[in-house]
C-alpha cells in the first residue's frame, strides 16, 4: 500500500511553524513529508540542519529522481520547481522571470499521483501560493489543513486557502501533526468487504437517500441527479474527516449538524476551474467559433453567450477575453453579453467580484494580465471593460428555465458529474437555449451522444459543436427523480420500513397530483415562478431576450393581466379568488376555456406564497357547478379599482421622481467638489509614490549592506570554527537554561554529544569528568557573572584545567556560559618529574641534543650557587654544559674537563652507551672527589642525563685503608 504523502507549504515566517509542526510528530508515522518553501536561489539553505534540531525523522534535500520513502522528510532545494510522478520526486530549474508558484505545482501533481492519500498543509507565508493546489487536493479526495492565521507570523497564505471554504481543519502548527495522524488512523479499509445481506444493503441505500433528502431540503439541489459513485466518494471522505464509522451514523450527524451539511454540499460542488483550461481547446474556440460569430454579426446584432456551471468565474472571463481580442482584431465592437451562472451562490459572488489570486499568472499570459487585469495587493482584479459584459446569476441547469437565443454555450466538465438521464435533460435544455446556428463547447470527457443528430461537429477533438435543429421547450415536471427499489422479501429494520413508507407516500401523492389536481404554479410575493405542478407547457412560453421568472412575462397575453389582477388582490386580502372564464388560444392553434384560481399559502414570519391554478372549463352545454368556497371576481369592477389605485401610485411616483431629480442635482454638485478633491489627492499620491520609490532604493541599499554583514559573519564564524579546531581545547556553550548551543570537536571526547543534540539540556549527557559540581557552577556563573576555575581529573586518566565563564549575546540579554577544558596532564607530569629529581641527593642535569641544560634538580642548583655561579649563568637551564666542559676552569681541571666533553660528545653522537669518570673538585678548605655518570635519553628528541655523585667520604676511607 502506498504511504500517505504530506505536502507542507510555507514561505515567510515558515521556519518557526515548521519547527513546531515537526516537533509534535513521532519518528514512526508511516507517512512521508515533503516541505515546499520559497527559498532564495542565491543562498545555500540551512533548513535541513535547522529542522534536524527539532525532529529525529531523517531529513534529506531532494535530488532529481529521488524515491519517496515513509518516515522521511524531503526538502525542496533552492532555485527549483518540484513535482511528483508515481513514487519519485522530480526537479526542474525555476524560471528567473515570471511568477513562480512551487507549492501550487507540487500540490497539483501530488493530487494526481496520490489522490485520497494526499494531504496538504499550508503554513505561514505571504501571497496566495498553494490555494489552487489545495483545491486540486480536495477534489482528489485528500485532506486539507491550514495553520491558524492568528498563530502565523504572516497570514497571507493561510487566509487565502481558508477563503476557498475547502479546508478541513484550521489549527496551530503543533496540533496539525496529531490531526494528520488521527486522519491516517481512520482511513477506510481497502479490503473487499464481505457480501452484505439484503437488509444491510437496504439500510445503506436508505441512509444515502436520507442524506440526499437533507441536502435537497437544505440547499435546494437534488444530488440524486449526480452519479452515485461521485456522491458516495465525497460522503466517504467527509466520514473519514469526521471519524464516523458508518453511513447511518453520518446521516444522523448531518441531521443534527448544519455546518457538516454545508461542508458536504461544498464537497459535492468543488470549484475546480482555471483560466484557459486546456489551452489548445481555447485556441480552437477562438479560431473556429468566436471569430466566425463576430464576423457574422453586425454591430446592431447583439452577441449572447452562456456559461452554466461557471464555478468561480475563470471560464467566463476567459471566453470574454477571447471575444474582446476578436473585437479588436476585426475592428468591430457589437453589443456583447455573457451570462455566467452557477447553482452555488458563493461561487456566483466570488466570480462576480472578479478578484483572483496572483497564482493566475501561471495560467494567463503577461500580455493578457497587463491588458485585462490590474494588480491590487496580492490579487489580480478584472478590468471593467471585461467585467461589465458579464452577468453573474444563480441558476440550476436541471431545474430552472434555460436562457434563450445564445450564440455560444460553454458547458465544460459539468455533465460528467450527472447521471445519464440528467445528462440528456441538460443537453436538451442547452439545445433549446441555442440560437439557430449557435455553438456548444463541452469538456474533453463529455459527449453529445443523446442529441448527436441535432448537432454537427466543428472540432471533435476539442468538443466544439454547432446546432442543426432547435430543441423543444424543456418544461418537464419537477417531480422528485429519486428512485428506491424495495426488495420483495427481507428482514427489514425499523429505519428501512420508515424509509419505504415515505417513498410510497411520496409516489402516491405524485400520482394523485397528476390525476386530480389542476396544473398549478407556485409563486413568491414578487409574482416570480418558484415551482411547477404538472405539465404547464400549454400555458407558459419564454420570449426572446433576457430570461425572467416574472409570471407576467411567461403567460400569454390573454392570461397575463387576469392572473396579475388576481395575484395582487389575493396578496392583499389573503382570500382565494377565481377569474371569469377565459378563452385561450394554445400554441397548436386550438382554443381552450379555463378559469384561473389563486390561493394564498401562508408562511411563518413572511408574506407567504401564491398558488396559481389553471382549471379547464367544458364548453357551455350546461351551467357547471361552482365552488362556493371560492369567490368569483368581477373583472370590470376590479379593473376600475385597480386603475384608480395605479393613478394614485403614479401621482406619488411623480412627486418622488421630482424630489429625486433635485437630490441628484445636489449630489452632482457634491460629486464635482469631490472630483476636485480626488484630483488633489491624486497629486499627493504621486508625490507619495516618488517618496516610496526613494524609500525602496534605500531599502535596497540596506539590504545590500545586510548581505555584506551576513558574509562577514559567515567568515567570522568560519574563522571561529577553525580556531577552535586548531586550539584543540574542549569547549561547550550553553544558554541561560543550560541548553547546549555549540561545542568543539574535542568536547565529544569528554561528553557523549553529537550535532543533533543541540538544543538539549547539558545535564542530559554523561561525561568522563570527576566534576560533581559542574552543573551547579554553570548555574552560579550564569547568575553571578563570575569566572570559576579548577583542575579536575577525568576517566581517561587525564587532568584538565576547567574554566567556566559567563557570556551574553548582547547587552541586556540573558547570560549563558562557556566551559573550557584545557589538558594539563603533560604539565603535571613535568612537575612530578621535577619533584622526583629534587628529592635525589645527587647533582642531576638533563641536556638536549646540542648539550644545552634543560632541567636541573635542587642538589645541582645548590652546588652551583655555593661554587661561584649563584645566578646559574654557566650551569643553569639554557646554558651549554658541553661548552663549559670543553673550555675547562683552570689548567689542573683541563684533563678531566676534556675527558668529560669527549665522553658527552660521544654519547650525543650515539658512539657510546654510557660514560663515567672520577674527578677531583677541591675547595680551598676541603678535598672533594666526585663520580660523573652520563647516559643517553631513549627518546626521539634525544639528549643526555648527567649526574655527579660526591664520593669524597668514600675516597678518604679508601685512602686510609691503603
Amino acid at each position: 500500500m502506498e504511504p500517505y504523502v504530506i505536502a507542507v507549504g510555507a514561505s515567510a515566517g515558515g521556519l518557526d511553524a515548521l519547527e513546531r509542526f515537526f516537533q509534535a510528530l513521532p519518528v514512526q508515522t508511516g507517512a512521508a513529508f515533503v516541505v515546499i518553501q520559497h527559498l532564495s536561489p542565491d543562498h545555500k539553505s540551512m533548513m535541513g540542519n535547522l529542522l534536524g534540531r527539532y525532529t529525529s525523522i531523517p531529513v534529506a534535500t531532494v535530488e532529481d529522481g529521488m524515491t519517496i520513502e515513509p518516515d522521511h522528510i524531503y526538502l525542496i532545494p533552492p532555485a527549483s520547481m518540484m513535482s511528483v510522478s508515481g513514487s519519485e520526486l522530480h526537479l526542474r530549474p525555476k524560471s528567473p522571470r515570471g511568477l513562480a508558484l512551487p507549492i501550487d505545482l507540487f500540490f497539483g501533481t501530488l493530487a494526481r499521483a496520490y489522490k485520497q492519500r494526499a494531504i496538504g498543509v499550508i503554513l505561514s507565508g505571504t501571497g496566495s501560493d498553494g490555494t489552487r493546489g489545495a483545491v486540486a487536493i480536495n477534489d482528489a479526495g485528500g485532506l486539507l489543513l491550514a495553520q491558524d492565521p492568528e498563530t502565523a507570523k504572516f497570514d497571507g497564505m493561510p487566509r487565502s486557502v481558508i477563503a476557498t471554504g475547502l479546508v478541513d481543519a484550521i489549527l496551530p502548527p503543533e496540533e496539525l501533526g496529531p490531526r494528520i495522524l488521527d486522519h491516517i488512523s481512520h482511513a477506510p479499509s481497502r479490503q473487499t468487504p464481505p457480501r452484505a445481506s439484503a437488509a444491510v444493503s437496504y439500510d445503506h441505500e436508505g441512509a444515502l437517500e436520507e442524506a440526499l433528502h437533507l441536502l435537497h431540503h437544505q440547499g435546494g439541489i437534488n444530488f440524486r441527479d449526480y452519479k452515485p459513485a461521485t456522491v458516495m466518494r465525497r460522503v466517504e471522505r467527509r466520514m473519514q474527516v469526521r471519524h464516523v464509522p458508518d453511513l447511518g451514523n453520518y446521516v444522523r450527524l448531518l441531521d443534527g449538524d448544519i455546518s457538516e451539511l454545508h461542508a458536504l454540499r461544498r464537497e459535492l460542488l468543488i470549484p475546480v476551474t482555471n483560466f484557459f483550461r486546456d489551452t489548445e481547446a481555447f485556441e480552437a474556440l477562438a479560431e473556429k467559433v468566436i471569430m466566425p460569430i463576430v464576423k457574422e454579426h453586425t454591430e446592431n446584432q447583439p452577441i449572447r453567450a452562456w456559461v452554466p456551471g461557471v464555478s468561480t468565474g475563470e471560464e467566463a472571463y476567459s471566453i470574454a477575453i477571447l471575444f474582446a481580442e476578436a473585437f479588436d482584431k476585426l475592428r468591430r465592437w457589437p453589443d456583447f453579453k455573457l451570462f455566467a451562472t452557477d447553482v452555488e451562490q458563493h461561487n456566483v459572488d466570488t466570480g462576480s467580484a472578479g478578484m483572483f489570486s496572483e497564482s493566475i499568472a501561471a495560467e494567463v499570459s503577461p500580455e493578457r494580465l497587463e491588458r485585462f487585469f490590474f494588480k491590487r495587493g496580492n490579487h489580480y482584479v478584472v478590468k471593467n471593460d471585461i467585467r461589465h459584459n458579464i452577468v453573474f446569476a444563480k441558476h440550476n441547469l436541471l431545474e430552472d428555465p434555460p436562457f434563450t437565443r445564445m450564440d455560444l454555450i460553454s458547458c465544460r466538465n459539468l455533465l460528467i458529474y450527472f447521471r445519464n438521464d440528467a445528462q440528456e435533460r441538460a443537453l436538451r435544455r442547452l439545445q433549446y437555449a441555442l440560437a439557430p446556428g449557435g455553438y456548444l463547447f463541452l469538456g474533453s470527457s463529455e459527449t453529445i451522444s443523446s442529441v448527436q443528430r441535432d448537432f454537427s461537429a466543428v472540432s471533435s477533438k476539442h468538443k466544439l459543436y454547432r446546432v442543426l435543429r432547435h430543441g423543444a421547450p424543456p418544461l418537464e415536471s419537477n417531480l422528485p427523480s429519486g428512485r428506491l427499489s424495495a426488495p420483495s422479501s427481507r428482514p427489514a429494520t425499523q429505519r428501512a420500513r420508515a424509509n419505504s413508507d415515505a417513498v410510497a407516500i411520496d409516489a402516491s401523492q405524485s400520482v394523485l397530483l397528476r390525476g386530480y389536481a389542476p396544473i398549478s404554479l407556485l409563486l413568491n410575493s414578487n409574482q416570480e415562478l418558484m415551482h411547477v405542478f404538472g405539465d404547464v407547457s400549454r400555458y407558459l412560453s419564454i420570449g426572446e431576450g433576457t430570461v425572467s421568472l416574472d409570471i407576467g412575462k411567461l403567460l400569454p397575453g390573454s392570461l397575463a393581466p387576469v392572473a396579475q389582477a388576481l395575484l395582487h388582490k389575493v396578496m392583499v386580502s389573503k382570500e382565494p379568488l377565481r377569474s371569469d372564464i377565459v378563452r385561450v388560444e394554445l400554441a397548436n392553434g386550438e382554443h381552450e376555456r379555463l378559469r384561473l384560481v389563486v390561493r394564498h399559502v401562508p408562511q411563518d414570519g413572511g408574506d407567504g406564497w401564491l398558488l396559481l391554478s389553471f382549471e379547464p372549463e367544458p364548453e357551455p352545454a350546461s351551467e357547471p357547478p361552482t365552488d362556493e368556497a371560492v369567490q368569483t371576481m368581477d373583472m370590470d369592477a376590479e379593473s376600475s379599482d385597480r386603475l384608480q389605485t395605479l393613478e394614485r401610485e403614479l401621482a406619488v411616483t411623480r412627486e418622488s421622481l421630482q424630489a429625486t431629480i433635485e437630490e441628484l442635482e445636489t449630489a452632482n454638485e457634491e460629486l464635482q467638489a469631490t472630483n476636485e478633491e480626488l484630483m488633489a489627492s491624486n497629486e499627493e499620491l504621486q508625490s507619495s509614490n516618488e517618496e516610496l520609490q526613494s524609500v525602496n532604493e534605500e531599502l535596497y541599499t540596506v539590504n545590500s549592506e545586510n548581505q555584506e554583514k551576513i558574509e562577514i559573519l559567515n567568515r567570522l564564524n568560519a574563522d571561529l570554527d577553525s580556531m577552535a579546531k586548531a586550539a584543540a581545547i574542549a569547549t561547550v556553550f550553553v544558554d541561560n537554561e543550560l541548553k547546549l548551543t555549540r561545542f568543539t570537536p574535542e568536547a565529544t571526547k569528554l561528553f557523549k554529544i553529537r550535532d543533533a543534540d543541540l538544543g538539549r539540556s547539558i545535564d542530559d549527557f554523561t561525561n568522563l569528568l570527576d566534576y560533581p559540581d559542574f552543573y551547579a557552577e554553570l548555574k552560579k556563573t550564569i547568575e553571578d557573572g563570575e569566572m570559576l576555575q579548577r583542575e579536575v581529573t577525568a576517566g581517561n586518566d587525564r587532568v584538565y584545567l576547567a574554566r567556566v565563564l559567563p557570556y551574553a549575546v548582547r547587552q541586556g540579554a540573558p547570560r549563558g556560559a562557556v566551559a573550557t577544558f584545557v589538558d594539563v596532564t603533560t604539565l603535571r607530569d613535568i612537575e612530578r618529574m621535577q619533584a622526583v629529581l629534587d628529592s635525589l641527593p645527587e647533582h642531576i642535569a638533563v641536556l638536549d641534543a646540542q648539550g644545552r641544560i634543560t632541567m636541573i634538580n635542587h642538589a645541582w642548583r645548590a652546588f652551583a650557587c655555593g661554587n661561584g655561579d649563584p645566578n646559574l649563568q654557566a650551569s643553569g637551564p639554557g646554558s651549554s654544559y658541553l661548552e663549559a666542559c670543553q673550555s675547562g676552569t683552570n689548567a689542573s681541571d683541563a684533563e678531566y674537563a676534556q675527558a668529560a666533553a669527549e665522553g658527552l660528545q660521544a654519547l650525543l653522537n650515539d658512539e657510546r652507551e654510557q660514560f663515567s669518570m672520577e674527578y677531583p673538585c677541591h675547595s680551598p678548605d676541603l678535598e672533594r672527589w666526585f663520580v660523573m655518570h652520563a647516559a643517553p635519553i631513549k627518546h626521539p628528541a634525544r639528549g643526555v642525563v648527567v649526574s655527579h655523585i660526591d664520593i669524597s667520604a668514600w675516597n678518604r676511607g679508601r685512602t686510609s685503608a691503603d
Side-chain angles (χ1 to χ4, degrees):
M1 181 182 294
E2 289 183 338
Y4 277 83
V5 177
I6 295 92
V8 184
S11 183
L15 176 58
D16 175 68
L18 286 168
E19 290 173 350
R20 293 161 61 188
F21 174 77
F22 284 110
Q23 198 170 17
L25 284 169
V27 178
Q28 300 292 332
T29 62
F33 298 85
V34 183
V35 178
I36 311 98
Q37 282 187 288
H38 297 166
L39 301 174
S40 170
D42 302 323
H43 293 85
K44 180 181 178 181
S45 174
M46 302 295 292
M47 182 57 64
N49 295 332
L50 296 174
L51 284 184
R53 296 164 53 186
Y54 293 90
T55 179
S56 298
I57 304 175
V59 182
T61 300
V62 173
E63 298 178 357
D64 190 39
M66 182 176 285
T67 302
I68 297 177
E69 297 181 3
D71 301 319
H72 281 71
I73 299 173
Y74 299 95
L75 306 178
I76 186 173
S80 298
M81 300 292 283
M82 183 166 60
S83 60
V84 59
S85 177
S87 60
E88 293 184 349
L89 295 168
H90 296 282
L91 299 174
R92 62 177 173 84
K94 182 187 293 184
S95 173
R97 294 178 298 274
L99 181 65
L101 302 169
I103 303 175
D104 273 333
L105 173 65
F106 187 81
F107 276 22
T109 59
L110 179 67
R112 290 191 293 271
Y114 282 82
K115 296 182 172 56
Q116 69 273 11
R117 304 187 78 79
I119 298 177
V121 180
I122 295 294
L123 300 179
S124 173
T126 59
S128 58
D129 190 13
T131 300
R132 289 187 173 266
V135 174
I137 287 179
N138 187 274
D139 182 45
L143 182 70
L144 187 58
L145 305 176
Q147 180 180 358
D148 185 350
E150 298 299 326
T151 67
K153 292 185 177 180
F154 296 90
D155 60 1
M157 282 170 43
R159 290 193 185 278
S160 179
V161 73
I162 291 170
T164 64
L166 302 176
V167 176
D168 295 304
I170 304 168
L171 299 167
E174 59 271 14
E175 297 180 19
L176 291 171
R179 179 65 179 83
I180 290 172
L181 299 182
D182 204 18
H183 176 79
I184 294 174
S185 65
H186 286 83
S189 173
R190 294 294 172 192
Q191 298 177 354
T192 302
R195 186 175 183 87
S197 66
V200 173
S201 175
Y202 184 78
D203 276 349
H204 185 276
E205 291 182 5
L208 181 58
E209 173 64 25
E210 188 172 346
L212 296 177
H213 173 73
L214 290 172
L215 286 167
H216 193 184
H217 177 73
Q218 180 64 33
I221 303 176
N222 188 2
F223 287 104
R224 298 179 183 88
D225 291 320
Y226 283 58
K227 292 179 179 178
T230 301
V231 174
M232 199 61 217
R233 186 170 63 250
R234 309 311 298 182
V235 169
E236 287 176 349
R237 202 195 86 85
R238 290 304 308 171
M239 289 168 60
Q240 184 182 2
V241 170
R242 294 301 300 267
H243 306 159
V244 179
D246 56 72
L247 186 57
N249 284 320
Y250 183 67
V251 170
R252 283 190 284 273
L253 174 63
L254 287 177
D255 196 17
D257 188 348
I258 190 67
S259 62
E260 179 60 25
L261 198 61
H262 290 161
L264 178 58
R265 173 189 166 97
R266 287 196 302 270
E267 288 282 336
L268 294 166
L269 299 172
I270 296 173
V272 182
T273 183
N274 299 102
F275 281 92
F276 303 100
R277 190 177 183 182
D278 190 352
T279 306
E280 289 186 5
F282 272 90
E283 289 175 354
L285 175 71
E287 190 67 27
K288 298 180 180 181
V289 174
I290 292 179
M291 291 295 287
I293 290 177
V294 178
K295 288 178 181 178
E296 294 169 3
H297 282 69
T298 66
E299 293 192 4
N300 295 327
Q301 290 180 293
I303 297 176
R304 293 160 58 84
W306 179 23
V307 183
V310 73
S311 187
T312 49
E314 286 88 338
E315 184 178 336
Y317 288 115
S318 300
I319 293 176
I321 287 172
L322 294 181
F323 270 103
E325 291 175 341
F327 296 156
D328 291 344
K329 186 174 183 180
L330 297 174
R331 309 300 296 172
R332 303 175 65 182
W333 291 274
D335 184 25
F336 170 64
K337 191 64 67 178
L338 189 150
F339 300 91
T341 63
D342 196 90
V343 74
E344 177 61 43
Q345 185 63 45
H346 176 73
N347 292 344
V348 172
D349 294 340
T350 302
S352 179
M355 182 180 294
F356 300 94
S357 67
E358 60 186 356
S359 60
I360 68 169
E363 305 161 6
V364 183
S365 66
E367 295 78 13
R368 283 172 172 166
L369 279 177
E370 182 178 1
R371 180 179 174 189
F372 300 110
F373 298 83
F374 64 89
K375 195 76 179 291
R376 180 185 294 169
N378 294 324
H379 293 79
Y380 285 101
V381 182
V382 179
K383 290 183 178 179
N384 285 335
D385 53 352
I386 292 294
R387 175 65 187 86
H388 81 274
N389 291 322
I390 304 176
V391 177
F392 283 89
K394 182 179 179 182
H395 182 273
N396 190 328
L397 177 61
L398 293 175
E399 297 184 2
D400 294 333
F403 293 81
T404 58
R405 308 290 296 173
M406 293 295 159
D407 299 295
L408 169 64
I409 296 178
S410 176
C411 184
R412 308 188 74 229
N413 304 310
L414 174 62
L415 302 180
I416 56 175
Y417 294 104
F418 293 161
R419 292 174 179 263
N420 292 336
D421 56 341
Q423 287 185 17
E424 183 175 356
R425 285 161 47 206
L427 285 170
R428 293 294 181 189
R429 286 169 172 264
L430 297 177
Q431 180 185 357
Y432 173 76
L434 284 170
Y439 294 88
L440 179 62
F441 185 26
L442 298 181
S444 58
S445 302
E446 296 166 332
T447 65
I448 58 169
S449 57
S450 61
V451 293
Q452 190 169 3
R453 295 181 179 180
D454 300 326
F455 286 85
S456 64
V458 177
S459 173
S460 298
K461 177 183 178 181
H462 300 114
K463 306 297 181 180
L464 290 169
Y465 305 95
R466 191 167 191 178
V467 68
L468 298 176
R469 284 176 290 276
H470 192 61
L475 295 175
E476 67 270 9
S477 172
N478 286 316
L479 292 174
S481 60
R483 23 191 195 280
L484 185 63
S485 58
S488 58
S489 176
R490 61 181 178 273
T493 62
Q494 183 177 359
R495 173 180 292 274
R497 288 195 299 271
N499 289 330
S500 177
D501 293 344
V503 172
I505 292 171
D506 288 344
S508 300
Q509 289 177 345
S510 299
V511 172
L512 288 172
L513 285 173
R514 289 180 179 178
Y516 296 97
I519 297 171
S520 302
L521 304 177
L522 181 63
L523 311 172
N524 61 19
S525 58
N526 296 323
Q527 299 185 14
E528 293 176 336
L529 182 62
M530 294 175 57
H531 196 78
V532 176
F533 299 95
D535 183 6
V536 76
S537 59
R538 292 182 297 170
Y539 307 126
L540 294 188
S541 62
I542 300 177
E544 183 177 349
T546 303
V547 173
S548 172
L549 296 179
D550 188 341
I551 194 62
K553 296 182 180 180
L554 296 177
L555 290 173
S558 58
L559 290 181
V562 178
Q564 288 178 316
L566 286 172
L567 293 169
H568 176 76
K569 190 74 173 179
V570 172
M571 179 54 69
V572 175
S573 65
K574 304 295 190 291
E575 297 294 332
L577 285 176
R578 66 152 42 102
S579 72
D580 292 331
I581 297 176
V582 182
R583 190 174 184 84
V584 182
E585 183 178 358
L586 303 179
N588 57 8
E590 297 180 359
H591 291 80
E592 181 177 342
R593 287 159 48 87
L594 57 82
R595 290 180 186 272
L596 300 183
V597 178
V598 178
R599 296 176 176 86
H600 181 259
V601 181
Q603 176 190 15
D604 293 338
D607 294 332
W609 302 279
L610 298 170
L611 190 65
L612 173 62
S613 301
F614 301 85
E615 296 183 352
E617 290 287 336
E619 292 298 328
S622 61
E623 187 67 24
T626 59
D627 186 356
E628 299 298 334
V630 181
Q631 178 184 355
T632 301
M633 184 173 67
D634 185 348
M635 293 302 300
D636 293 336
E638 184 62 30
S639 298
S640 177
D641 293 343
R642 180 64 173 158
L643 184 60
Q644 293 177 6
T645 302
L646 290 175
E647 288 176 347
R648 288 194 298 270
E649 291 178 355
L650 180 59
V652 173
T653 302
R654 284 175 175 170
E655 294 176 359
S656 176
L657 179 60
Q658 183 61 36
T660 302
I661 291 173
E662 295 174 357
E663 291 174 359
L664 285 174
E665 290 175 351
T666 304
N668 187 44
E669 295 175 357
E670 294 175 352
L671 285 175
Q672 290 179 354
T674 303
N675 185 46
E676 294 174 357
E677 294 175 1
L678 287 175
M679 293 177 63
S681 299
N682 185 46
E683 294 175 357
E684 295 175 1
L685 287 174
Q686 290 179 352
S687 300
S688 300
N689 186 44
E690 294 174 357
E691 294 174 2
L692 287 174
Q693 183 64 29
S694 175
V695 171
N696 186 47
E697 293 173 358
E698 294 173 2
L699 288 175
Y700 183 84
T701 303
V702 172
N703 184 53
S704 300
E705 294 174 354
N706 285 336
Q707 291 292 341
E708 184 178 353
K709 290 180 180 179
I710 290 173
E711 184 64 28
I712 294 173
L713 288 175
N714 289 337
R715 193 160 53 246
L716 290 174
N717 195 43
D719 293 344
L720 180 61
D721 288 340
S722 300
M723 185 181 69
K725 292 177 181 177
I729 298 175
T731 308
V732 293
F733 295 79
V734 296
D735 60 15
N736 60 317
E737 297 178 353
L738 298 185
K739 290 183 178 179
L740 188 64
T741 59
R742 191 183 185 123
F743 60 90
T744 61
E746 286 71 25
T748 59
K749 299 176 182 178
L750 298 178
F751 296 83
K752 301 298 182 181
I753 53 178
R754 53 192 176 91
D755 291 340
D757 293 327
L758 293 177
R760 295 177 57 188
S761 178
I762 189 67
D763 59 2
D764 288 347
F765 312 106
T766 58
N767 59 70
L768 302 179
L769 301 173
D770 184 13
Y771 195 179
D773 297 329
F774 176 54
Y775 306 119
E777 291 187 357
L778 280 175
K779 294 179 181 178
K780 180 175 177 58
T781 297
I782 292 173
E783 293 172 358
D784 300 340
E786 298 178 359
M787 185 193 79
L788 299 175
Q789 176 176 307
R790 66 165 64 191
E791 284 188 11
V792 296
T793 58
N796 56 1
D797 297 325
R798 311 292 291 178
V799 181
Y800 294 88
L801 177 64
R803 286 194 183 97
V804 181
L805 300 93
Y807 85 96
V809 177
R810 56 185 176 275
Q811 187 175 5
R815 276 195 297 258
V818 54
T820 62
F821 301 90
V822 182
D823 190 346
V824 295
T825 306
T826 302
L827 179 61
R828 295 298 171 261
D829 289 344
I830 293 173
E831 291 176 354
R832 181 175 177 80
M833 186 175 71
Q834 182 68 53
V836 171
L837 293 176
D838 289 341
S839 66
L840 297 175
E842 292 81 4
H843 309 162
I844 298 175
V846 179
L847 312 182
D848 62 14
Q850 284 74 39
R852 290 189 297 270
I853 298 174
T854 60
M855 182 182 293
I856 60 177
N857 70 345
H858 179 72
W860 182 289
R861 183 178 291 104
F863 184 84
C865 292
N867 289 271
D869 191 11
N871 297 324
L872 301 178
Q873 292 181 353
S875 56
S879 61
S880 177
Y881 189 72
L882 186 61
E883 291 178 2
C885 291
Q886 289 173 347
S887 61
T889 56
N890 51 54
S892 61
D893 298 331
E895 179 181 354
Y896 294 102
Q898 185 63 35
E902 293 175 355
L904 290 174
Q905 189 63 57
L907 289 173
L908 292 173
N909 295 335
D910 294 329
E911 296 172 358
R912 298 182 63 170
E913 288 294 326
Q914 63 179 8
F915 169 74
S916 296
M917 62 173 284
E918 290 184 18
Y919 67 92
C921 184
H922 305 311
S923 66
D925 55 350
L926 182 64
E927 185 178 286
R928 298 178 302 186
W929 286 86
F930 291 84
V931 172
M932 174 183 175
H933 181 79
I937 299 174
K938 304 299 183 180
H939 188 271
R942 301 169 60 216
V944 174
V945 177
V946 178
S947 63
H948 296 269
I949 304 173
D950 188 351
I951 58 172
S952 300
W954 176 82
N955 191 59
R956 285 193 295 270
R958 183 180 62 176
T959 302
S960 300
D962 292 339

